[in-house]
Amino acid sequence: MGFRKGISILTISAAFALALSGCTSDKPAPSASTAPTASSSPSDSGEGGTDAKLEALGLDSNLKFKETRKITVEVYDRGNDGGTKPEDNFYTTYIKEGMLRDHNVEVTFVPVPRWTETEVINNYLAANQAPDVSLTYSYPTIQTYANMGGILDLAPILAENKELFPDMFEYLTETNIYWDQDPATGTLWALEGRLNVLNRINTFVRQDWLQKLNIEPPTNLQEFESMLRAFKDNASTLLGADADKMIPFSTSFDVGWRADHLTTSFMPNDLTDKDIYVNGFDDRLFLMPNYKEGIRTLNKWYNEGLVWKDFPLYPAGDTTEDNLMKLGHVGAFMHNWDYPYRNGDDSIHASLQRLVGPDAAYVAVESFPNDAGVYKKFLSGPIDRKVFFPATNKEPIASLLYVNWISKFENRVFLQFGEEGVTHEKLPDGSLKTIATTGEKIMNSPANIDYTITSNGINLGDPDLTVKSIANGYAGVDSKLIEIAHKITTNDGRIGKNANVGQIKAEDGQGQALKEKRDTILNKAVVAAVDKFDEIYDSGMKDYLNSGGQAIIDERKAAWEKTYGTETMLK
């Protein structure tokens, strides 16, 4: 009952003031170095005792509001064929009933298109219509509106009321909760969700095509290129009457993500943490040294007819490319680490096997060593989506109780696996295996990631069971394919670190604009004639830097040196 202690009258007044005013508190918040620790407990001083303090918040001793509170919560809409309405389905009902039962909080879900989430949440914030519990992958978006008074500062609320949210603190830990806290001002605009599995990207090739052409899985760039040319030259053997539909290598408009293993292989192995921080504000690593040469290689492939010629034409969320893979026309691609195996009966893998045959499959390969002969992977830190509350949120305590509820072990495991015997089975070794499901209990996203907003990736509390359950989680897929993909995606990985140097003002409002410029530059550069590549790439980069990119680099460099001096590596 430790949470009953120490909800001071000051805290209650501050919480209500924040909620009603829609502004951040002017009370100094703790710096990153003074964030409350697991052993700390709020003072239990104050008039009226613990019950009176809870009473002032409208809570009973079980943290249930005496009068029903109402909050809105963002959920991604992926527009899945055969899926359910993301805001109204079996899993939203589970959450709604649970929050009403446990805290007397009524939850309404607000769908936001997954593939344009940054633009849409920008629009909601600008119109003062963002959901009470919002999320985004774009921290600069949050920072931009925080600077205008549009985001709630969570630091004072958490500092005083920490013990109201034990599951959130236990699961996310101080690291993720205070990851984004400004070291100078102490403000905390967002909580970082937990990335349980650092798996990111893989390079996939048609295993059956390799076997048919008697080619070993490629282990370097030259072998990979030779493989692509072999696919093209043997199109009739591999595709028969559909030979003219051959696509040796496929990518999408998001070249930065989809060519990651290729581009990162051109980066120097000896990059420092400072290099990565100063130049790494673009999450596609667009500004890293020698990145251009990776794109030059892709340009060469394109001009040889080895790359899907129409890739720039299809926007985010379009299924054309997936359908080409399902039809068996694509020889190789790079994508999310388990991409061809996702979505059960509608997966690329299942569709390919139904149409082409039981031997047809994509397998992950490791083909791009860097200058030190290392298959370097640049991995994220243990953070994921950023959960934040807009200043229009009038129920910060209820909203944090929601984040706590969604972080509770039994709740997130149910959301990730669903009902035993329906959406999963428990194997003799204790691991869980998902069951392909249709109808009301289908999951619109892998392991219901769109509802487990503080959790990306399975976590069963036991590392061995977790790994086994991950491998079990792909209906109709040979577990060996998953094991290979799981091993390769983090091999020689370099995990991201938290260079907490405070706000970079040059990034304000630039996230979406620079992202769009980057995508345009890369698309134009890949499809350019070989003799025009340098001109197009360099002029695009110049425009990108002049449009705010260089200012961000300069400010990041200065902030690093102010915080860390001459050090180039983080501990």
Side-chain angles (χ1 to χ4, degrees):
M1 303 299 288
F3 59 78
R4 295 185 182 180
K5 297 181 180 180
I7 306 170
S8 68
I9 297 299
L10 176 62
T11 304
I12 294 163
S13 301
F16 285 142
L18 284 166
L20 294 175
S21 69
C23 300
T24 59
S25 170
D26 60 0
K27 175 184 176 183
S31 69
S33 62
T34 59
T37 63
S39 61
S40 67
S41 61
S43 169
D44 62 357
S45 63
E47 298 178 4
T50 300
D51 290 340
K53 298 165 191 174
L54 290 172
E55 179 78 19
L57 282 175
L59 293 164
D60 66 17
S61 60
N62 294 312
L63 299 185
K64 189 170 183 178
F65 286 103
K66 295 179 180 180
E67 294 184 6
T68 303
R69 304 299 175 92
K70 298 180 179 182
I71 63 171
T72 54
V73 177
E74 178 182 350
V75 62
Y76 286 148
D77 183 354
R78 297 174 182 266
N80 294 347
D81 292 338
T84 58
K85 292 178 66 175
E87 73 275 22
D88 183 18
N89 57 50
F90 174 76
Y91 300 101
T92 60
T93 298
Y94 170 81
I95 295 170
K96 290 177 181 180
E97 291 179 350
M99 280 296 295
L100 203 58
R101 176 192 66 238
D102 296 344
H103 298 299
N104 197 19
V105 173
E106 185 178 304
V107 176
T108 299
F109 286 96
V110 178
V112 169
R114 166 64 186 97
W115 311 116
T116 54
E117 60 99 359
T118 304
E119 299 96 305
V120 173
I121 204 65
N122 260 294
N123 292 335
Y124 276 144
L125 285 165
N128 290 319
Q129 295 177 347
D132 296 320
V133 180
S134 289
L135 59 140
T136 182
Y137 285 96
S138 172
Y139 189 78
T141 295
I142 299 172
Q143 185 68 68
T144 296
Y145 285 93
N147 292 342
M148 296 187 290
I151 307 295
L152 202 60
D153 180 8
L154 297 175
I157 303 174
L158 292 178
E160 297 290 344
N161 299 308
K162 173 182 177 179
E163 293 191 13
L164 291 173
F165 319 112
D167 299 287
M168 182 182 79
F169 271 89
E170 179 183 3
Y171 185 59
L172 293 183
T173 74
E174 303 281 340
T175 297
N176 281 48
I177 288 174
Y178 291 100
W179 185 280
D180 294 315
Q181 187 169 42
D182 191 295
T185 66
T187 51
L188 181 65
W189 305 123
L191 312 174
E192 291 283 352
R194 176 170 168 171
L195 187 62
N196 288 313
V197 181
L198 297 181
N199 297 2
R200 190 167 179 261
I201 290 173
N202 266 321
T203 303
F204 297 96
V205 303
R206 280 284 296 273
Q207 186 178 46
D208 52 319
W209 286 10
L210 294 178
Q211 293 169 346
K212 187 171 288 189
L213 298 179
N214 197 28
I215 299 173
E216 291 295 317
T219 62
N220 57 49
L221 175 61
Q222 291 71 32
E223 292 176 358
F224 194 87
E225 286 185 350
S226 296
M227 177 196 72
L228 296 183
R229 295 187 184 105
F231 289 166
K232 179 184 179 183
D233 294 343
N234 292 278
S236 295
T237 300
L238 298 173
L239 291 178
D242 288 331
D244 61 332
K245 297 181 174 63
M246 162 63 71
I247 300 172
F249 183 82
S250 187
T251 190
S252 80
F253 80 97
D254 189 358
V255 172
W257 182 259
R258 296 289 305 280
D260 179 85
H261 281 183
L262 175 65
T263 53
T264 55
S265 71
F266 283 87
M267 299 175 196
N269 190 62
D270 60 357
L271 287 172
T272 66
D273 290 339
K274 181 180 179 181
D275 294 329
I276 292 173
Y277 174 72
V278 170
N279 297 296
F281 61 87
D282 178 89
D283 65 356
R284 277 25 177 184
L285 305 178
F286 177 50
L287 297 169
M288 291 297 179
N290 227 31
Y291 187 95
K292 176 183 176 182
E293 297 312 306
I295 302 302
R296 187 191 302 278
T297 300
L298 199 58
N299 167 264
K300 180 179 71 172
W301 293 352
Y302 186 88
N303 281 282
E304 288 186 32
L306 302 177
V307 177
W308 182 34
K309 63 182 178 65
D310 294 331
F311 80 86
L313 302 180
Y314 298 94
D318 188 274
T319 60
T320 301
E321 185 191 16
D322 282 10
N323 291 335
L324 292 171
M325 295 173 186
K326 291 176 180 180
L327 289 169
H329 299 162
V330 176
F333 65 96
M334 299 174 204
H335 215 309
N336 298 340
W337 80 275
D338 60 348
Y339 194 75
Y341 316 125
R342 295 180 174 184
N343 299 328
D345 286 342
D346 191 44
S347 69
I348 292 168
H349 178 84
S351 301
L352 192 60
Q353 294 211 319
R354 281 195 299 269
L355 188 65
V356 178
D359 294 330
Y362 285 104
V363 63
V365 297
E366 209 159 28
S367 305
F368 305 104
N370 64 14
D371 58 348
V374 177
Y375 295 99
K376 186 70 70 183
K377 318 294 192 311
F378 288 85
L379 307 177
S380 169
I383 60 172
D384 188 52
R385 292 153 294 179
K386 297 87 178 72
V387 180
F388 68 98
F389 301 167
T392 49
N393 183 326
K394 297 179 180 180
E395 296 288 352
I397 298 296
S399 299
L400 282 167
L401 286 171
Y402 178 88
V403 178
N404 185 78
W405 193 93
I406 217 77
S407 303
K408 191 184 293 287
F409 180 80
E410 56 267 31
N411 294 337
R412 56 185 167 80
V413 170
F414 181 85
L415 288 169
Q416 288 181 331
F417 287 96
E419 291 184 333
E420 185 171 358
V422 179
T423 54
H424 80 273
E425 60 179 312
K426 190 171 185 177
L427 301 185
D429 63 4
S431 64
L432 305 182
K433 181 178 182 179
T434 57
I435 300 171
T437 307
T438 57
E440 66 172 359
K441 295 178 182 177
I442 194 172
M443 295 184 183
N444 292 322
S445 54
N448 261 337
I449 184 179
D450 295 339
Y451 301 110
T452 61
I453 58 175
T454 58
S455 183
N456 183 346
I458 294 167
N459 184 323
L460 294 173
D462 180 305
D464 290 338
L465 288 181
T466 298
V467 172
K468 290 177 182 178
S469 297
I470 290 172
N472 294 338
Y474 300 84
V477 181
D478 186 342
S479 62
K480 291 181 180 179
L481 293 174
I482 305 301
E483 291 169 6
I484 292 170
H486 184 74
K487 179 180 179 181
I488 287 177
T489 188
T490 56
N491 183 42
D492 289 328
R494 182 166 178 166
I495 297 173
K497 299 176 183 178
N498 187 15
N500 193 356
V501 300
Q503 179 187 354
I504 303 299
K505 293 183 179 179
E507 294 183 20
D508 290 359
Q510 291 283 35
Q512 186 62 25
L514 289 179
K515 171 184 175 294
E516 291 175 357
K517 279 186 178 292
R518 175 203 68 208
D519 290 344
T520 299
I521 293 165
L522 295 180
N523 277 264
K524 288 183 176 179
V526 171
V527 304
V530 171
D531 61 352
K532 295 291 185 181
F533 173 81
D534 285 301
E535 176 185 341
I536 290 173
Y537 191 98
D538 293 347
S539 63
M541 179 61 78
K542 182 178 180 180
D543 176 56
Y544 181 96
L545 294 174
N546 289 339
S547 299
Q550 188 63 53
I552 295 173
I553 292 172
D554 293 343
E555 189 175 345
R556 280 191 164 220
K557 181 175 182 292
W560 176 284
E561 292 172 354
K562 179 180 178 181
T563 304
Y564 301 110
T566 59
E567 296 292 331
T568 59
M569 299 297 290
L570 295 169
K571 296 179 180 179

